[in-house]
Amino acid sequence: MNREEQLLAAMVEVVDTLVDDFDLIDFLHHLCDRCNELLDVSAVGVMLADPTGKLQLIAASDEHTRLLELFALQTDEGPCVECYRAGTARLNIDLRSPSQGAAFPRFAERARQGDFVITHTLPMRLRQQVVGALNLFDTRHQELSDTDARVAQALADVATIAVLQHRTLVHANIERAQMQAALSSRVVIEQAKGILAERWQTTPDEAFGVLRRYARTHQLRLTALCRQVIDGSDVVRTMQGP
């Protein structure tokens, strides 16, 4: 498979993220494989920001890289951290160069211990929103060409689209669940109002007022109290009608 075919395959994988059963973790591990193939690098890592804005390691091409990326997060040091905060790429960083590694000496030393000599990191960004960083490592001192850099950024952009799509789906599912729960609660409340209104020979509004006051006084959730009423719980005997 040539580079054009591999890029096309990566784009097709993003289209697959439009389905509800999309597996983000699996996709990002595939992304690591794509980067290895297309860019001829030794290792790849993907970091994403959690809801608080803190970076978390999500995928890595191998265990050694995973530990290196975790070290970067624990020490809050490394080009990946800087890339995420600034939202700009850091390419062709020579890990053996004291001047280039001065901003993250502990990370550079740990990377060298793993035989990495050069690293590149690209922001996962859509317009002004930065969601993470794509990190590339190599045990050979071979720099990314301008073409390779564009391919790497394209892959980071592809991953960003997938991540944001996943978050949209999750958010939509949560909203649907919340709406369904609200509708179900409304049905339960209406049933309880009807039961009490008939029992006390009063209006549904007056029965609802009693339910609300009882729930507040006894620190109960209104829906839970209404379910007890529907189930014929003894709680009804302790409630006084209007």
Side-chain angles (χ1 to χ4, degrees):
M1 184 182 292
N2 59 35
R3 173 175 281 195
E4 289 75 14
E5 291 172 331
Q6 290 173 330
L7 275 173
L8 178 59
M11 300 305 172
V12 170
E13 287 168 357
V14 173
V15 174
D16 289 341
T17 67
L18 298 174
V19 300
D20 284 336
D21 60 352
F22 164 63
D23 187 330
L24 179 63
I25 302 299
D26 185 54
F27 170 82
L28 292 176
H29 277 93
H30 275 299
L31 176 71
C32 291
D33 294 338
R34 295 291 183 197
C35 289
N36 284 131
E37 296 167 359
L38 286 162
L39 303 170
D40 190 28
V41 292
S42 302
V44 183
V46 179
M47 293 181 177
L48 294 180
D50 64 19
T52 69
K54 184 178 180 180
L55 275 179
Q56 304 288 345
L57 177 64
I58 301 300
S61 56
D62 57 75
E63 180 65 13
H64 178 70
T65 305
R66 186 183 76 85
L67 294 176
L68 175 60
E69 296 279 63
L70 288 175
F71 178 80
L73 294 177
Q74 290 166 358
T75 58
D76 195 31
E77 179 184 291
C80 47
V81 176
E82 294 182 359
C83 172
Y84 168 68
R85 288 174 177 165
T88 56
R90 298 288 306 278
L91 305 177
N92 302 319
I93 300 172
D94 187 344
L95 294 166
R96 300 170 301 181
S97 168
S99 59
Q100 293 191 41
F104 34 84
R106 290 174 296 176
F107 174 84
E109 180 181 0
R110 179 63 66 92
R112 290 195 301 270
Q113 290 174 0
D115 296 325
F116 293 131
V117 298
I118 196 166
T119 186
H120 326 275
T121 181
L122 303 103
M124 294 171 61
R125 180 186 63 216
L126 181 63
R127 300 182 182 89
Q128 301 305 312
Q129 184 179 6
V130 182
V131 302
L134 174 65
N135 311 310
L136 312 175
F137 303 92
D138 212 324
T139 56
R140 303 153 297 176
H141 193 279
Q142 56 178 17
E143 297 187 350
L144 282 185
S145 66
D146 291 342
T147 299
D148 284 343
R150 287 193 294 271
V151 170
Q153 188 60 64
L155 290 169
D157 294 342
V158 160
T160 302
I161 294 170
V163 169
L164 293 177
Q165 172 64 19
H166 179 263
R167 290 180 179 177
T168 298
L169 289 173
V170 169
H171 184 68
N173 288 336
I174 291 173
E175 285 190 336
R176 283 197 294 269
Q178 290 174 335
M179 178 58 70
Q180 186 58 51
L183 292 173
S184 298
S185 295
R186 187 73 255 172
V187 170
V188 169
I189 290 170
E190 293 300 325
Q191 289 177 343
K193 284 165 54 177
I195 290 171
L196 293 181
E198 182 177 356
R199 179 187 181 94
W200 295 330
Q201 293 299 298
T202 188
T203 67
D205 286 341
E206 290 176 331
F208 186 48
V210 173
L211 282 167
R212 293 183 63 194
R213 287 192 296 273
Y214 190 94
R216 286 198 300 268
T217 300
H218 294 82
Q219 297 182 339
L220 297 171
R221 292 183 60 190
L222 181 60
T223 304
L225 174 60
C226 289
R227 286 198 177 95
Q228 291 185 51
V229 171
I230 294 170
D231 293 341
S233 169
D234 289 342
V235 71
V236 176
R237 298 189 181 91
T238 67
M239 300 173 66
Q240 295 182 352

